[in-house]
Amino acid sequence: MPRQSDILDLISNYRSKGEPFALATVVRTVSVTAAKAGAKAVILADGSITEGWIGGGCARGAVLKAAREALADGQSRLVSIQPDEQLSEHRVKAGEIRDGVVYAKNMCPSQGTMDVFVEPVLPRPHLTVCGASPVAVALADLARRMGFFVTVCAPAPEHAGFGEADRLVDGYAIPVDGSERDYVVIATQGRGDSLALKAAVQAPCKYLAFVGSRKKAAALKADLTASGVASERLEHIHAPAGLNIGAITPDEIAFSIVAEMIEIRRRGQRTL
């Protein structure tokens, strides 16, 4: 049985590296079960358990499924693994979700009941801001306060205009350690638009936005297509950036962009 300190050290290590994982904790057991309340396991996005133990095959399948789903939508889950007679008594079926509880069938001879809380631990969302315009400065500040890890890409002499950023990059080259979960906003506003946008469309991201008019964005897209950039890479650019709230000032525009990023990030997590 792994020591609690080993699991806590591993959790700290994954968090420092920004690697997503799910923490499964047994919160209740009834009758005979292999794992007892308090047992924990660290589960990665590929479904592998890297540390800890929550019981054998009776619980493993249901918990791993819940972990994968939790990492996909960012929501915690309580999984109740019960024998057939208990499911029938509660008038629920395996796979059913009721009052926030996911029910699963215990097919092991022990016929015990185990409740497991599955919590996704996700890295801070990563935003790359290209440019040093007033909108870029306001966006970097507001997004950081909203929990984003902010990278600023702008010529080094313009870095001083930013209050705080997690990372500063000289020029408009998007860092190569990005992922498809990232957000990228081009806020150059006339100073390096084409260069920044060309770099951005080559980078993996879930959200790419351009601060500027539709007419200007269309002209830039046409120029990039003529230079050899595949048109499908340009189809999903949000231009103008941000939700349409009638924003005028740099702060208002930054607010509308952060609101749009949060809306995209939280899709699937909203409740009626």
Side-chain angles (χ1 to χ4, degrees):
M1 205 66 161
R3 295 179 304 169
Q4 186 85 350
S5 59
D6 294 335
I7 293 179
L8 295 178
D9 288 344
L10 185 64
I11 290 172
S12 178
N13 184 42
Y14 280 135
R15 296 194 72 156
S16 66
K17 293 191 299 184
E19 186 168 348
F21 64 93
L23 178 63
T25 304
V26 177
V27 295
R28 184 181 76 110
T29 62
V30 179
S31 189
V32 179
T33 57
K36 301 303 178 184
K40 299 179 185 296
V42 175
I43 305 169
L44 299 185
D46 63 2
S48 61
I49 296 179
T50 61
E51 187 67 70
W53 192 67
I54 47 170
C58 310
R60 187 183 183 92
V63 172
L64 293 184
K65 181 176 183 291
R68 289 192 296 268
E69 293 172 349
L71 288 170
D73 64 21
Q75 292 185 293
S76 298
R77 284 159 169 76
L78 179 62
V79 183
S80 186
I81 303 155
Q82 305 182 6
D84 258 336
E85 61 181 40
Q86 290 296 320
L87 293 174
S88 298
E89 184 178 320
H90 294 130
R91 297 181 181 180
V92 293
K93 296 179 180 179
E96 185 176 340
I97 302 174
R98 183 183 295 182
D99 298 328
V101 179
V102 181
Y103 289 91
K105 182 180 178 180
N106 184 351
M107 296 179 289
C108 290
S110 66
Q111 295 295 287
T113 293
M114 178 188 300
D115 293 342
V116 183
F117 184 68
V118 180
E119 176 187 9
V121 182
L122 302 173
R124 291 167 62 192
H126 187 185
L127 167 65
T128 296
V129 180
C130 291
S133 65
V135 171
V137 173
L139 177 59
D141 175 61
L142 180 58
R144 197 166 186 271
R145 285 188 280 137
M146 291 296 105
F148 286 79
F149 180 99
V150 176
T151 293
V152 171
C153 295
E158 299 178 348
H159 289 174
F162 292 86
E164 285 189 42
D166 295 288
R167 179 164 57 173
L168 296 168
V169 175
D170 184 12
Y172 301 121
I174 307 296
V176 297
D177 59 353
S179 78
E180 294 181 353
R181 301 187 302 270
D182 292 353
Y183 301 75
V184 179
V185 176
I186 309 302
T188 41
Q189 295 191 275
R191 302 178 62 185
D193 293 345
S194 183
L195 185 63
L197 191 56
K198 186 172 184 178
V201 296
Q202 308 299 327
C205 63
K206 70 185 298 181
Y207 173 85
L208 172 58
F210 176 78
V211 179
S213 67
R214 287 186 178 85
K215 184 176 180 180
K216 186 173 184 180
L220 284 169
K221 289 180 183 180
D223 289 344
L224 290 176
T225 301
S227 70
V229 176
S231 58
E232 57 266 22
R233 289 186 172 271
L234 307 172
E235 292 175 356
H236 304 295
I237 299 174
H238 295 248
L243 298 178
N244 184 8
I245 60 173
I248 296 176
T249 69
D251 285 347
E252 291 172 347
I253 295 170
F255 178 85
S256 74
I257 295 170
V258 171
E260 185 170 51
M261 293 191 299
I262 290 174
E263 191 277 330
I264 290 172
R265 182 188 178 201
R266 298 302 187 188
R267 281 177 187 170
Q269 300 183 34
R270 291 173 292 180
T271 57
L272 297 178

